[in-house]
Structure formats: structure tokens, C-alpha cells
Amino acid sequence: MTNKPDAPQHPATIAARALGWEDRETGAITPPIHLSTTYTRDEAYQSRHGRTYLRDHGPTQYHAEQLLCELESGEDAISFASGLAACTAPFHGLNKGDHVVVSAVIYYGVLTWLVVFAEARGLEYSLFEPGNLDDLSNKLIDGKTKLVWLETPANPTWVVTDIAAVCEIAHARGVLVAVDSTVATPVLTRPIELGADFVCHSATKYLNGHSDVLGGMLVTAHADSDLWHRIRQHRLYAGAMLGSFEAYLLIRGIRTLFLRVGAQCENAMVIAGYLHRHPKVEHVHYPGLPGDPGHAIATRQMTGGYGGMLSILVPGGRAGAIAVVNNASVFKKATSLGGVESLIEHRKTSESGVTDTPENLIRISVGIEAVQDLVADLEQMLDR
Ligand code: PLP
């Protein structure tokens, strides 16, 4: 039983209460894990609440989906076994001959999927320069382009794209817009409120926040569209459902999302300022810095902070960057992002070769540790 009061609640309240669930029979307030893979039918041989088999529908998954749907102001949401499964689901829902326009700066995994599989599936794609709305407009092909895909702030340089402006251009040409909002989270940006048709998350990152769940979420602004129906079918028949235990952990993680992201933004701002002043740092990519090209849009579009992700360029190319990262002590030398612990990595090593990420780029995911310990660790890494 979820308990939705009439008065609208702040998203932080919705998240902390996990939709206000309580068990009618016992009064329990912590949502349970339903591990059952199958569900009995009623006397009329109908499924109960649409549930027959876990690959299609599960109560724990449904709870996590509805929670995120509410936080993203969507009409419906579905969970996936990973962020990439969620991000690529809209492409699976499109038809042979359809065309998508994709930001040239996005998480390398989505780009790799397009490079490896799009042509074989009859899906055509073009890349647009993020921030260049004329380029976006020029890449749209009337009657053929069905979707614009963007990420903001985008891996690994945290380029910020004006979601409302992209939606205005795309919608005027009858094209849908999907936004990978993994890094912004619904704490900082709610793309559907800015006009987007889909919002995608790697739930592995900030939504869960503890580096112990692999999962994805896709939210739609149009639950009754054909494309959404096909995406649901794709999840069912490709078997890309989120696991029940993961769904349980995800709900638990989302309850502290606002606190975590707030602390991560504050720490990231301090660290960005410190790195910006450091003589051994050539450049800092962080939209919170006034000199960053995305600063003005981010200030308008992101509410309450500029995110917990930043990247730096250091002297000495690949070897120079790896030498810095190798000295990490408080930071963990690992890929991924959005967990409570800070991570640092030589980004190019993690990517698959389809991107032009510079060899001297170090990606930093800022956690919730005391910021002086993070700054001290960066100091000894850079000064050795
Ligand atoms: N989108 C973004 C922005 C990401 O950073 C990632 C992973 O790092 C993904 C999607 C893919 O998520 P997952 O690793 O959960 O498949």
C-alpha cells in the first residue's frame, strides 16, 4: 500500500518516504523484497494486478519504478538489469530505417552500442555537437528522424546541454527527445518538466549510491504511446528485467538520494575550485566553475548544485595521468560514479576506443567523505 497525500510533496520528501509505503496487515514501513518469479491467477484465471511472471512485472521492481516515475514527473517507468539496457531500450523500440540524432559527447557505452549494432538493425544515426543547436537542427531529417538522444552533464567532460532548447527544436520537427540524466539525478534536473519525452538512468550510480547494484531505469512522459509499448515488449522478450534484490536495494538507496547528492555537489565544488588553482592541473571540467562553457545553462537548468562529477587534464599524457591516479589513497582507483565513496580513474583506459577522450584526462566521482581528506589526497597525488 502506498500512501499518497493530496498536498503535493517536495521530491526530497517523496524519496525519503519511498512513496510512503506501509503494510496494511503488519504496519511495517519498510518495503519488502518479493523474490517470487511467478504469481498465481485468480478464480477467473486472470492475473492479479497484471502480475504473472517476474520477467514482465514484479512488485519490488514496480515500487522502485513508481518511485522514480514520481521523482521524474513521468507517466510511467520501467526498470532494467543495467543502465545500458535502459539507455539502449528506446533504440530497440524503433523501426528499421528510423534515424536518431545523438549528442557526440555521451557515455561511451551508448556510443559503442550504436557503432556496433545500429547498422545491422537498420537504425541510422548522426552525431551532433552538444551545445550547437544549429548542428542539431541540420541533422534532423524530416519524416525519418524519430529520436534525439543526449546526456547532460555528459561523460567525461560534463558538457551541459540545454534540454528545453533541444526539445523545442526537436518537437517542432515531430521528433522525440531522450535524456540520460544519470549524472544530474532528479535532485538537480527533471528533464520531463523541461519537455523531454524519456529520461534514462544508470541506477547503478547516484540513484542507488552505494556501488552495490547494477540497474537501469527508463521513464516516459507518454505511457500510452506505441513506442513505450514496444520498449516494454523489448524488456519482456529480451529478458532485461531488474533483479528483485537489486530493486529492493535501489528503493533503499533512493531514500537518501537528496542528502547524498547535496553533499556530493558541495564537495565537488570545493574540489573543483582547489584543482582549478593547482599549478599541476592544466584544465578542470566542471559546470560549477564560472569559466566553464556550460556554467550559464547549468545555473539555469540544474537546481541546487552542479553535480558530483569532474574531470581534470594533467601534464605528461597517459603516463602522467596514470602516475597521479596510482597515488590515490582516500580516493579508490576504480571506474563508475555516484557512490558515497570517491573514485578516480584514467578515463581513456575504461572506454572502448570509440571516443576521443584525451589520454591525460582523469575522471573524478566525488563522494560524501569530509572534503578536507579528499583535498589532502589530491594534494599528495599531484605533488609527488
Ligand atoms: N549512462 C551513464 C551516464 C553512465 O555513466 C553509465 C555507466 O557508467 C551508463 C549509462 C551505463 O550504466 P550501467 O553501467 O549501469 O550499464
Side-chain angles (χ1 to χ4, degrees):
M1 177 179 78
T2 57
N3 165 11
K4 279 200 199 168
D6 292 338
Q9 293 176 341
H10 188 281
T13 308
I14 295 167
R17 299 178 75 243
L19 296 176
W21 184 91
E22 64 186 65
D23 185 60
R24 238 176 249 153
E25 219 169 282
T26 64
I29 63 160
T30 301
I33 310 182
H34 288 279
L35 293 169
S36 185
T37 52
T38 191
Y39 296 87
T40 57
R41 290 178 175 270
D42 66 14
E43 296 69 28
Y45 211 69
Q46 297 301 306
S47 62
R48 301 171 201 266
H49 310 291
R51 281 176 213 126
T52 53
Y53 190 60
L54 187 61
R55 181 156 33 76
D56 191 22
H57 200 310
T60 314
Q61 288 82 350
Y62 183 71
H63 193 138
E65 291 161 356
Q66 290 307 301
L67 177 54
L68 191 72
C69 188
E70 193 79 13
L71 293 177
E72 288 288 10
S73 305
E75 280 197 359
D76 198 12
I78 49 177
S79 55
F80 289 85
S82 72
L84 259 185
C87 290
T88 54
F91 303 140
H92 285 282
L94 295 175
N95 290 307
K96 202 171 170 184
D98 285 347
H99 175 247
V100 295
V101 177
V102 178
S103 170
V105 181
I106 52 169
Y107 172 64
Y108 83 95
V110 176
L111 198 56
T112 306
W113 187 92
L114 287 164
V115 168
V116 175
F117 296 111
E119 193 182 345
R121 283 156 207 243
L123 186 68
E124 294 171 30
Y125 69 92
S126 309
L127 302 181
F128 78 97
E129 198 188 316
N132 185 342
L133 299 179
D134 288 338
D135 188 37
L136 166 70
S137 194
N138 290 337
K139 298 281 164 60
L140 299 175
I141 306 169
D142 289 325
K144 193 167 168 65
T145 308
K146 295 292 164 22
L147 186 73
V148 172
W149 177 274
L150 65 96
E151 177 183 328
T152 181
N155 272 284
T157 50
W158 320 114
V159 173
V160 179
T161 300
D162 186 334
I163 298 170
V166 168
C167 290
E168 204 178 313
I169 292 168
H171 290 167
R173 307 273 292 272
V175 177
L176 300 171
V177 176
V179 177
D180 183 338
S181 198
T182 297
V183 169
T185 80
V187 178
L188 305 175
T189 309
R190 283 185 287 284
I192 287 176
E193 292 177 7
L194 299 170
D197 303 282
F198 295 104
V199 184
C200 176
H201 285 275
S202 167
T204 315
K205 316 299 180 188
Y206 290 98
L207 292 182
N208 177 60
H210 294 76
S211 305
D212 54 7
V213 161
L214 190 72
M217 278 279 183
L218 190 66
V219 187
T220 181
H222 319 285
D224 56 3
S225 71
D226 282 352
L227 181 53
W228 188 245
H229 178 65
R230 282 170 64 85
I231 290 170
R232 274 195 165 279
Q233 280 204 310
H234 162 71
R235 184 184 67 165
L236 171 60
Y237 294 110
M241 180 62 142
L242 182 70
S244 300
F245 192 60
E246 282 78 2
Y248 167 81
L249 285 175
L250 183 53
I251 296 166
R252 179 173 158 141
I254 291 174
R255 299 181 83 155
T256 56
L257 178 69
F258 282 73
L259 276 181
R260 287 185 283 104
V261 170
Q264 284 161 314
C265 288
E266 277 179 28
N267 279 356
M269 197 61 166
V270 172
I271 289 170
Y274 163 76
L275 292 169
H276 182 63
R277 292 186 298 274
H278 199 289
K280 289 195 186 158
V281 175
E282 288 177 353
H283 187 75
V284 181
H285 292 287
Y286 186 62
L289 291 174
D292 189 89
H295 184 67
I297 301 168
T299 301
R300 220 171 47 235
Q301 181 166 278
M302 300 177 78
T303 49
Y306 296 93
M309 295 303 300
L310 52 97
S311 297
I312 55 173
L313 302 179
V314 294
R318 177 185 174 84
I322 290 179
V324 170
V325 168
N326 268 341
N327 287 327
S329 164
V330 179
F331 281 84
K332 294 286 182 200
K333 193 173 63 174
T335 194
S336 200
L337 60 99
V340 288
E341 66 289 301
S342 294
L343 304 177
I344 191 160
E345 66 167 331
H346 175 250
R347 186 60 190 159
K348 189 77 173 173
T349 301
S350 292
E351 296 184 347
S352 65
V354 297
T355 62
D356 53 12
T357 297
E359 284 286 3
N360 65 335
L361 185 143
I362 294 174
R363 193 181 84 164
I364 297 172
S365 172
V366 179
I368 64 165
E369 303 92 337
V371 74
Q372 63 269 27
D373 291 333
L374 298 175
V375 170
D377 198 26
L378 287 164
E379 183 126 329
Q380 64 81 22
M381 279 189 248
L382 288 162
D383 287 350
R384 269 202 205 188

